Amino acid sequence: MAGKQQQRVAIFTTASLPWMTGTAVNPLFRAAYLAKAGNWEVTLVVPWLSKADQILVYPNKMKFSSPTEQEAYVRRWLEERIGVLPGFDIKFYPGKFSTEKRSILPAGDISETISDDKADIAVLEEPEHLTWYHHGRRWKTKFQKVIGVVHTNYLEYVKREKNGYISAFILKHINSWVTDIYCHKVIRLSAATQDVPRSVICNVHGVNPKFIEIGKLKHQQLCQKEQAFFKGAYYIGKMVWSKGYTELLQLLHNHQTELSGLKMELYGSGEDSDEVKASAEQLSLNIRVYPGRDHGDSIFHDYKVFINPSTTDVVCTTTAEALAMGKIVICANHPSNEFFKRFPNCHMYNTEKEFVRLTMKALSQEPIPLSDELRHELSWEAATERFVRVADIAPTKSVGQQAPSSQHFMHISPEELQKNMEQASAFFHNTISGIEAARCVFGAIPNTLQPDEQQCKELGWNLWG
C-alpha cells in the first residue's frame, strides 16, 4: 500500500497573486499542472503579508483580511485562465516585504508549513532567495528530495547598483553556498543565471493557455489570408530601467533617422515610469507610453511586432506570450533567449544595425503561422513534462533512495567526505543565520527569526508551537 501512495510535492515560492510577478504566477501554474497530471499530491506554499505590506506590494491598494480570502482570489484568477481547477492545496507562510530589495522574505522556519509525514519533495522557487536567511530545519533533512528552480538573474540586477560588481561577487558565492547545502538538484531556466552546484539548464515554464487560444485564432486568420494584425510594434514590462527600458530607449535614440517610420507603444507601471516617459518624449519618433495592463488584454491582440531588448530576464514570460499569440519578436541574441531560437517568428540581433534591419523588416512582413509542435512547446503541459523529467520525480522513481555505496574497512569514501563537509557547512549557515546582528549585516529584515504575533494570529498559528 505504501508503494502506491502518491508522492507529496510542496512548492514554496516567494510571492503570491495579486502581485503579478513571475514567482507568483509560474509556481501557481506549476502546482495546477502537476496536480492535473494526477500523479502527485500538491501543496503550493506562498507568503502571507500583513496589511501594511499588502498595500506596498499588491496593485490598486488591494487588501485581504485573511489567508482564506486571498486563497479564494488566487483560485478564482487561475480558474478564469485554465477552466476547471485540479485539486491542490494552498498554504501560507509568514512573509515580510523588504522595500530595499523589492522582495518578500520569509519570517521564521517556513519548512514547518509542511508536516513531517508529508515531506516527500520540496520545490524551492528561487532557492537562493528562500535560503539566504533560513534558520531552522535543514531542507535536505526534512524533505527526501529538494529541487530548486532559479527564476531571477540576481547578479545582473546587483551589478547595476552602486559598487555593483563587488556586491555581485559576494552574492555569487553566497548563492552557490546556500543552494549547495539546501538543494539536491537545481533547475536553471536559462544560462543567463549563475552556475550553481548540481544544476541543469531547462526552461520549465509555460504560458497561460489564454495566449495560446489567441494565437490559434490569429493562425486561422492568417491561413484564410485575412489580415490578422492591424497595429505595429509594442513593448510591455514593469517600468523600471533594469527591465529593458534602458536598452530600448538607447537603441531608439541612437537610430532615430533609420527608424523614422516606426510607431511604437510602451506599456508598464513602476518606480521609473515618469523618467521613462520623459525620455521617450524627447525622441523624434512616434513613441507613446501607457500604464501597465494584463498582456492578455484585447488591446494587445492586434500588435504584430513585440520588441524586447531586455537582458536581465532569465526566460522572458512576455516574449513567450507574444510568440504564443503568433507575433514576431525582436530580441537580443542572449542566453536568456536561447529557448526561443527554435521559433521562426523570433528574430535575434547581435548589433544595433541588425536591430534596426530586423525591426523594419518585421514591420513590413507577416508572421509565420505557428506549428502545433511549437505551440505545444510553449504550453504548461510541455513545461510540466520537462520539469518532471529534469527534476527526476517521475512516480516510478523511489524518492530519496540512493544506491548503497561499497564500504571499505577504515575508509571514508569521497561521497561520505563530501556529505560530512556539507553538513558542517549547513551547521555553520544555521549558526550564522540564528544571530540577529549577522542577519541584519547581510540584509535580512530585522526581527524575522520568528514570525510576529499578529501574523501568527492571522494564519491561525500557535506562536508557541
Side-chain angles (χ1 to χ4, degrees), residues 4-300:
K4 291 182 182 177
Q5 186 179 8
Q6 283 185 316
Q7 293 173 9
R8 271 78 53 117
V9 179
I11 300 172
F12 292 81
T13 190
T14 56
S16 175
L17 295 175
W19 191 9
M20 288 296 296
T21 188
T23 50
V25 174
N26 290 311
L28 175 61
F29 278 117
R30 189 173 341 279
Y33 280 85
L34 266 178
K36 201 175 179 182
N39 299 316
W40 297 271
E41 191 181 302
V42 182
T43 303
L44 177 65
V45 190
V46 298
W48 167 254
L49 297 176
S50 64
K51 282 191 179 172
D53 277 349
Q54 287 182 37
I55 291 166
L56 295 173
V57 177
Y58 300 147
N60 308 317
K61 298 190 176 166
M62 207 178 283
K63 293 193 294 288
F64 301 97
S65 300
S66 68
T68 310
E69 189 185 334
Q70 187 167 0
E71 179 180 342
Y73 173 90
V74 170
R75 290 189 185 279
R76 196 162 55 245
W77 184 94
L78 185 62
E79 193 172 5
E80 285 168 6
R81 282 147 185 85
I82 70 170
V84 179
L85 289 184
F88 67 96
D89 290 336
I90 296 179
K91 289 193 171 186
F92 290 81
Y93 67 81
K96 300 278 185 187
F97 182 65
S98 165
T99 48
E100 184 194 339
K101 289 184 172 62
R102 300 292 307 164
S103 296
I104 297 168
L105 296 168
D109 179 4
I110 68 170
S111 73
E112 291 177 356
T113 315
I114 302 295
S115 59
D116 286 4
D117 61 322
K118 293 189 175 179
D120 292 343
I121 300 166
V123 179
L124 304 185
E125 310 270 356
E126 295 205 308
E128 63 281 70
H129 185 140
L130 286 169
T131 57
W132 285 327
Y133 312 113
H134 177 71
H135 181 74
R137 286 280 295 281
R138 187 179 170 206
W139 290 94
K140 279 186 184 176
T141 305
K142 167 133 187 173
F143 289 88
Q144 293 177 51
K145 191 161 194 175
V146 184
I147 311 295
V149 182
V150 176
H151 286 244
T152 309
N153 191 350
Y154 284 111
L155 302 188
E156 188 60 39
Y157 287 117
V158 169
K159 281 175 190 171
R160 294 173 181 233
E161 296 171 3
K162 192 179 177 185
N163 301 320
Y165 279 86
I166 297 167
S167 301
F169 177 80
I170 296 166
L171 184 63
K172 181 182 177 182
H173 289 281
I174 291 173
N175 287 348
S176 285
W177 180 36
V178 293
T179 51
D180 188 28
I181 59 180
Y182 291 120
C183 297
H184 292 105
K185 192 168 198 175
V186 177
I187 300 168
R188 297 160 57 203
L189 298 176
S190 77
T193 56
Q194 76 170 86
D195 193 8
V196 293
R198 292 186 292 279
S199 66
V200 293
I201 295 170
C202 184
N203 176 20
V204 292
H205 287 175
V207 303
N208 179 334
K210 187 161 72 169
F211 295 102
I212 290 172
E213 291 310 310
I214 296 163
K216 283 179 181 174
L217 183 66
K218 294 295 178 185
H219 178 111
Q220 224 173 7
Q221 290 172 334
L222 287 170
C223 289
Q224 289 168 358
K225 307 293 182 196
E226 294 175 17
Q227 189 178 352
F229 301 98
F230 300 89
K231 298 177 185 174
Y234 76 109
Y235 176 57
I236 180 172
K238 186 180 178 186
M239 211 161 270
V240 291
W241 285 114
S242 59
K243 281 286 186 183
Y245 289 96
T246 301
E247 293 86 346
L248 178 60
L249 289 168
Q250 191 67 55
L251 283 163
L252 297 179
H253 174 269
N254 292 351
H255 302 280
Q256 295 181 73
T257 307
E258 303 100 296
L259 294 168
S260 58
L262 176 70
K263 182 186 174 189
M264 187 172 180
E265 274 87 43
L266 315 181
Y267 293 86
S269 300
E271 302 92 280
D272 299 328
S273 293
D274 292 341
E275 285 182 33
V276 170
K277 194 168 185 178
S279 297
E281 284 170 355
Q282 287 171 16
L283 300 173
S284 61
L285 297 169
N286 188 354
I287 309 295
R288 305 256 175 116
V289 181
Y290 299 102
R293 52 205 304 169
D294 190 311
H295 200 192
D297 194 300
S298 59
I299 202 168
F300 297 111

Side-chain angles (χ1 to χ4, degrees), residues 26 30 33-34 37 40 147-149 185-190 200-208 212 315-316 320 338-340 342-343 372-394:
N26 290 311
R30 189 173 341 279
Y33 280 85
L34 266 178
W40 297 271
I147 311 295
V149 182
K185 192 168 198 175
V186 177
I187 300 168
R188 297 160 57 203
L189 298 176
S190 77
V200 293
I201 295 170
C202 184
N203 176 20
V204 292
H205 287 175
V207 303
N208 179 334
I212 290 172
V315 173
C316 187
E338 186 68 29
F339 179 78
F340 304 122
R342 70 196 82 176
F343 293 85
D372 289 341
E373 183 193 345
L374 287 176
R375 193 178 287 119
H376 176 70
E377 282 290 286
L378 292 167
S379 72
W380 266 105
E381 283 87 357
T384 304
E385 289 162 14
R386 293 192 294 267
F387 175 77
V388 170
R389 187 181 72 248
V390 297
D392 199 20
I393 60 164

Side-chain angles (χ1 to χ4, degrees), residues 251-366:
L251 283 163
L252 297 179
H253 174 269
N254 292 351
H255 302 280
Q256 295 181 73
T257 307
E258 303 100 296
L259 294 168
S260 58
L262 176 70
K263 182 186 174 189
M264 187 172 180
E265 274 87 43
L266 315 181
Y267 293 86
S269 300
E271 302 92 280
D272 299 328
S273 293
D274 292 341
E275 285 182 33
V276 170
K277 194 168 185 178
S279 297
E281 284 170 355
Q282 287 171 16
L283 300 173
S284 61
L285 297 169
N286 188 354
I287 309 295
R288 305 256 175 116
V289 181
Y290 299 102
R293 52 205 304 169
D294 190 311
H295 200 192
D297 194 300
S298 59
I299 202 168
F300 297 111
H301 296 187
D302 294 335
Y303 283 102
K304 183 167 65 172
V305 181
F306 180 67
I307 298 177
N308 180 11
S310 175
T311 54
T312 54
D313 290 295
V314 173
V315 173
C316 187
T317 305
T318 49
T319 294
E321 290 166 352
L323 288 168
M325 288 191 278
K327 303 179 189 303
I328 296 173
V329 169
I330 308 293
C331 62
N333 188 1
H334 183 264
S336 61
N337 293 320
E338 186 68 29
F339 179 78
F340 304 122
K341 279 188 174 174
R342 70 196 82 176
F343 293 85
N345 287 328
C346 186
H347 302 166
M348 297 190 183
Y349 62 88
N350 292 291
T351 64
E352 291 194 6
K353 271 189 172 180
E354 216 171 349
F355 167 80
V356 173
R357 182 178 62 78
L358 290 173
T359 299
M360 298 314 288
K361 186 181 174 186
L363 290 167
S364 66
Q365 60 184 196
E366 289 302 311

